[in-house]
Amino acid sequence: MPASVASTASGVIVPFSTSVRSRPVTEPLAPPVDLLAIAAHRDDVELLVGGTMARAASQGHRTGILDLTAGERGTDGSAGLRGEEADAAARVLGVA
């Protein structure tokens, strides 16, 4: 884990504050979710487990997607376009 982040007892990773004491920030980076899909590329979750994500969301579960890249090395389109497409897909799937 990088020196600039800390893990809390609940497992939430938070950035260190910039104070002299280097105390961790107590606010989580994002609201908690019941189901988190992690994928390498921007469209992987939507293509591979989109139905599962949509079903979980329709059943009242908070769902989230963590893409590990922004699509900046793709061959078609730009990272910005991929971001817009991913945001639109998240809305359709009901992802938080």
Side-chain angles (χ1 to χ4, degrees):
M1 183 178 314
S4 61
V5 297
S7 180
T8 65
S10 64
V12 175
I13 296 175
V14 295
F16 278 125
S17 68
T18 57
S19 72
V20 175
R21 296 183 198 160
S22 294
R23 293 179 11 185
V25 176
T26 57
E27 298 291 321
L29 297 177
V33 295
D34 301 311
L35 177 63
L36 177 64
I38 303 171
H41 307 107
R42 276 265 167 104
D43 58 356
D44 290 354
V45 170
E46 292 84 346
L47 294 172
L48 300 174
V49 295
T52 300
M53 300 299 284
R55 184 170 190 176
S58 73
Q59 293 173 340
H61 299 283
R62 289 189 47 85
T63 58
I65 296 173
L66 174 60
D67 297 312
L68 300 179
T69 63
E72 63 277 4
R73 303 271 320 229
T75 57
D76 294 326
S78 65
L81 176 60
R82 283 179 174 56
E84 292 172 14
E85 293 169 344
D87 291 343
R91 285 190 298 276
V92 170
L93 296 175
V95 175

